[in-house]
């Protein structure tokens, strides 16, 4: 189940592959160190490409905010999200990838070699894999932060099974909210869909499925104004934005599904800000590839991100071989 982000501190800062004198030229630079970035690193290094991962400010990505991960294959018992990411990092380093815990502040993808600027260094490379992920949008409530990992979640697939036989709220009115709400009826005794308008944004077929599900109750024109509890979520206060009336719902879980914001980039993006891929993992800029939630708004799973990381690394290796860059 989701927990607070403090566990990011568990990442070991001293990489065994940390160069003595700072090396700044690589075959491949991977920006981002979630499942996509680490997997890309493993495959690039095993292809004998000199590879650097620039991890960003939260090495490990969204899984650093997760406790039990039950849906990543290979672990018969649940593994803690931070443990999974630390293990991935060690595996990536063992393969020969250098990992630097720094933040990219600018890139130049117009000229070769590509240039990547961090707060402390300028790096050059022949190919880039962007694996910067996405962040779930927040409601902006104090209780949302207080109870993150203690009943407030941003991923039904990850955390749904922890809310068996409990009443659950899902906030949002798009496809994600409806999909998550419908999925959560497998576990919860009742799912309250809380939407700020009186019409859903979700596709009609998904709406119909939700309307006919006896476990789902809609709360229209409603916003969550407060989340309360002791050690974990116990209730939420809803406000009807038309009438001003307040309602208290006793719930064990609150799933926030109000969209994602992909992390910023300098390649072609779709209207929602996700990277547009031209051919498998290639972006519109030759030599720049993308992997994981930064382009994928459909699956958004650790295992699919890892899969995309593998694909991007294979595509990069082929690109470097074919173009002799
Ligand atoms: P969307 O942006 O489509 O929907 C976000 C929803 O959250 C909207 O209903 C919006 O309300 C609401 N919302 C936004 N901000 C707030 C806020 N601060 N407080 C309360 N409510 C808020 O995001 P999704 O993640 O649902 O979908 C993203 C994309 O992925 C879409 O293109 C979708 O079609 C696609 N998708 C497809 C799926 C499928 O086909 N199986 C599954 C999941 C996603 P309002 O409507 O008032 O703006």
């Amino acid at each position: 189940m989701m927990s607070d982000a403090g566990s990011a501190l568990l990442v070991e800062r001293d990489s065994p592959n940390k160069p003595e004198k700072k090396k700044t030229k690589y075959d491949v630079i991977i920006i981002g160190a979630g499942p996509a970035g680490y997997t890309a690193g493993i495959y690039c290094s095993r292809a004998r490409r000199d590879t650097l991962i620039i991890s960003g400010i939260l090495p490990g990505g969204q899984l650093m905010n997760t406790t039990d991960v039950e849906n990543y294959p290979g672990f018969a018992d649940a593994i803690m999200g931070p443990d999974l990411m630390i293990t991935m990092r060690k595996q990536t380093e063992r393969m020969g990838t250098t990992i630097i815990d720094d933040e990219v502040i600018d890139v130049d993808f117009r000229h070769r070699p590509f240039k990547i600027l961090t707060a402390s260094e300028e790096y050059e490379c022949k190919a880039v894999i962007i694996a910067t992920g996405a962040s779930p949008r927040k409601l902006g409530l104090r209780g949302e932060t207080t109870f993150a990992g203690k009943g407030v979640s941003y991923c039904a697939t990850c955390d749904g099974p922890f809310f068996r036989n409990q009443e659950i709220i899902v906030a949002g009115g798009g496809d994600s909210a409806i999909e998550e709400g419908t999925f959560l009826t497998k576990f919860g005794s009742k799912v309250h869909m809380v939407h700020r308008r009186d019409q859903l944004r979700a596709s009609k077929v998904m709406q119909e499925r939700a309307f006919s599900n006896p476990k789902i109750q809609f709360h229209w024109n409603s916003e969550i104004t407060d989340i309360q509890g002791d050690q974990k979520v116990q209730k939420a206060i809803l406000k009807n934005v038309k009438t001003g009336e307040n309602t208290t719902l006793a719930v064990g879980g609150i799933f926030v599904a109000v969209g994602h914001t992909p992390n910023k980039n300098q390649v072609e993006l779709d209207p929602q800000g996700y990277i547009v891929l031209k051919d498998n993992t290639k972006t519109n800029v030759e030599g720049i590839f993308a992997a994981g939630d930064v382009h994928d708004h459909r699956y958004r799973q650790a295992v699919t991100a890892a899969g995309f990381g593998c694909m991007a690394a294979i595509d990069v290796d082929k690109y470097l071989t074919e173009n002799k860059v």
Side-chain angles (χ1 to χ4, degrees):
M1 164 176 176
M2 307 286 281
S3 78
D4 213 306
S7 34
L9 299 172
L10 295 174
V11 170
E12 289 171 13
R13 299 274 152 173
D14 288 327
S15 153
N17 300 308
K18 202 170 174 180
E20 296 263 304
K21 185 172 173 296
K22 202 162 239 179
K23 188 168 129 62
T24 56
K25 292 188 177 141
Y26 289 86
D27 293 330
V28 189
I29 293 183
I30 298 162
I31 309 174
Y38 286 143
T39 309
I42 291 168
Y43 274 78
C44 286
S45 291
R46 281 174 56 84
R48 298 287 177 262
R49 301 294 180 185
D50 197 8
T51 305
L52 170 71
I53 291 179
I54 303 176
S55 71
I57 46 172
L58 179 58
Q62 291 184 60
L63 281 186
M64 297 306 287
N65 297 333
T66 307
T67 52
D68 288 338
V69 178
E70 291 183 320
N71 56 7
Y72 198 90
F75 302 93
D77 302 313
I79 180 165
M80 297 286 280
D83 291 345
L84 177 60
M85 298 322 295
I86 289 165
T87 306
M88 268 192 213
R89 181 177 174 116
K90 285 183 178 158
Q91 183 183 1
T92 310
E93 288 174 329
R94 193 169 67 79
M95 294 301 141
T97 306
T98 303
I99 303 176
I100 289 176
D101 294 324
D102 204 349
E103 195 178 7
V104 171
I105 53 176
D106 202 7
V107 295
D108 181 358
F109 293 162
R110 288 164 303 169
H111 307 103
R112 315 299 165 109
F114 300 125
K115 288 193 171 49
I116 297 182
L117 189 70
T118 69
S120 58
E121 201 63 68
E122 185 176 283
Y123 296 94
E124 287 183 6
C125 62
K126 300 170 185 170
V128 174
I129 298 175
I130 303 170
T132 44
S135 311
R137 274 189 221 134
K138 305 240 157 68
L139 294 171
L141 300 171
R142 179 140 32 100
E144 197 180 0
T145 313
T146 311
F147 296 107
K150 297 170 190 153
V152 173
S153 170
Y154 299 87
C155 177
T157 318
C158 318
D159 295 336
F162 300 110
F163 295 91
R164 277 179 211 279
N165 303 319
Q166 298 182 44
E167 296 207 11
I168 299 169
I169 285 179
V170 176
D175 279 325
S176 294
I178 298 302
E179 192 169 76
E180 302 222 332
T182 307
F183 174 76
L184 287 166
T185 59
K186 290 185 190 179
F187 309 103
S189 53
K190 184 169 184 177
V191 172
H192 299 271
M193 299 289 319
V194 176
H195 184 37
R196 63 185 178 184
R197 292 188 296 130
D198 61 359
Q199 275 188 335
L200 296 172
R201 184 178 293 279
S203 53
K204 285 281 178 289
V205 61
M206 292 179 73
Q207 294 193 23
E208 285 160 13
R209 209 170 293 151
F211 291 148
S212 64
N213 189 322
K215 277 188 164 182
I216 295 181
Q217 181 184 346
F218 282 87
H219 299 261
W220 302 108
N221 300 312
S222 297
E223 285 179 355
I224 302 173
T225 55
D226 198 12
I227 299 170
Q228 298 173 359
D230 185 9
Q231 297 299 312
K232 57 191 188 64
V233 168
Q234 288 169 323
K235 55 186 171 178
I237 314 297
L238 309 192
K239 181 180 178 185
N240 185 305
V241 293
K242 290 257 158 87
T243 63
E245 188 191 339
N246 286 326
T247 314
T248 302
L249 291 181
V251 292
I254 298 179
F255 286 79
V256 180
V258 297
H260 279 73
T261 309
N263 298 325
K264 283 214 169 57
N265 279 292
Q266 291 197 0
V267 290
E268 186 188 341
L269 307 177
D270 71 12
Q272 281 76 43
Y274 288 88
I275 291 180
V276 176
L277 296 184
K278 299 289 165 189
D279 172 19
N280 296 318
T281 63
K282 295 180 184 167
T283 70
N284 65 318
V285 181
E286 207 182 303
I288 310 290
F289 298 75
D293 289 13
V294 74
H295 72 78
D296 166 36
H297 52 73
R298 184 176 172 83
Y299 300 106
R300 293 197 292 247
Q301 301 301 302
V303 67
T304 51
F308 281 121
C310 159
M311 289 158 62
I314 291 172
D315 289 346
V316 162
D317 185 46
K318 191 162 180 282
Y319 165 78
L320 293 175
T321 303
E322 286 175 355
N323 293 278
K324 299 206 173 15
V325 287

